[in-house]
Amino acid sequence: MLSLKRMIVLHLLLIATVSATSEAAITITELQPIKYPSTVKNQSKSTIVVVNWKGNLGNATNATLLDNDYYQGKYLVSSDSNLPITIEFFQLANESKVNLKTLRVRYKNKTYKSFPTIDLDNPGADGEIIAIGAKVVAGKNATAGDKNPQYILRIEEQQ
């Protein structure tokens, strides 16, 4: 059994200097981290599980699932300025032979799949929800057991 739990490292860059006399800040609040279902590992090929930004399983999922406990990641991002923002989303590759691929971010009704994504509209003081999803691939030589693939979601104001 391969248990693909979520683990997150959320990199918050809270202060970006706008000028010598004022500061602007981005705030990121984790509403729910991305979570993958417990899965039976394929013996002869890579095990693939996709949880997309909508919280649905993707078509590339090729494994037997042991539960229906999965959902997309959701974050509330807000800003006290009107500067454009940059979003970065990437894996840390902390698990041997287990990788996150097909990373997706949904922000202001648009899906992004290439990072960093620059010059995005500022979320404002009321904030915007960011939804994330990704494909997790456990190679055929990955060992069974709990796996905790980690990722970084970084959001910065541009100056």
Side-chain angles (χ1 to χ4, degrees):
M1 179 177 92
L2 180 68
S3 180
L4 298 171
K5 295 183 179 176
R6 78 85 181 138
M7 182 63 103
I8 180 170
V9 175
L10 183 61
H11 185 80
L12 302 176
L13 295 176
L14 296 177
I15 300 179
T17 302
V18 176
S19 71
T21 58
S22 66
E23 293 182 349
I26 290 275
T27 302
I28 303 170
T29 304
E30 180 182 71
L31 303 176
Q32 72 183 23
I34 191 169
K35 174 139 182 358
Y36 295 93
S38 295
T39 305
V40 176
K41 183 183 174 304
N42 292 324
Q43 294 300 317
S44 62
K45 61 183 176 180
S46 294
T47 302
I48 300 170
V49 179
V50 179
V51 176
N52 65 28
W53 66 265
K54 295 178 185 178
N56 299 324
L57 285 178
N59 292 334
T61 299
N62 70 352
T64 302
L65 305 181
L66 298 176
D67 60 45
N68 288 320
D69 190 17
Y70 57 87
Y71 38 82
Q72 79 275 45
K74 284 187 181 178
Y75 300 86
L76 175 64
V77 60
S78 60
S79 172
D80 64 356
S81 81
N82 61 357
L83 296 171
I85 65 169
T86 296
I87 297 176
E88 290 186 85
F89 180 32
F90 54 93
Q91 73 160 351
L92 289 179
N94 64 303
E95 291 282 358
S96 178
K97 305 201 184 321
V98 177
N99 290 293
L100 294 176
K101 300 180 180 224
T102 319
L103 305 171
R104 300 287 187 263
V105 170
R106 183 78 172 176
Y107 176 67
K108 289 196 168 191
N109 295 317
K110 186 167 182 191
T111 304
Y112 300 94
K113 49 188 166 183
S114 176
F115 303 98
T117 302
I118 62 172
D119 288 327
L120 299 177
D121 289 343
N122 189 288
D126 291 337
E128 293 282 340
I129 299 292
I130 289 180
I132 63 169
K135 176 193 316 185
V136 64
V137 178
K140 66 180 180 178
N141 295 326
T143 58
D146 284 345
K147 304 297 177 190
N148 300 295
Q150 296 177 357
Y151 58 86
I152 290 180
L153 175 63
R154 180 183 301 151
I155 301 168
E156 298 178 296
E157 289 181 326
Q158 296 173 233
Q159 296 186 32

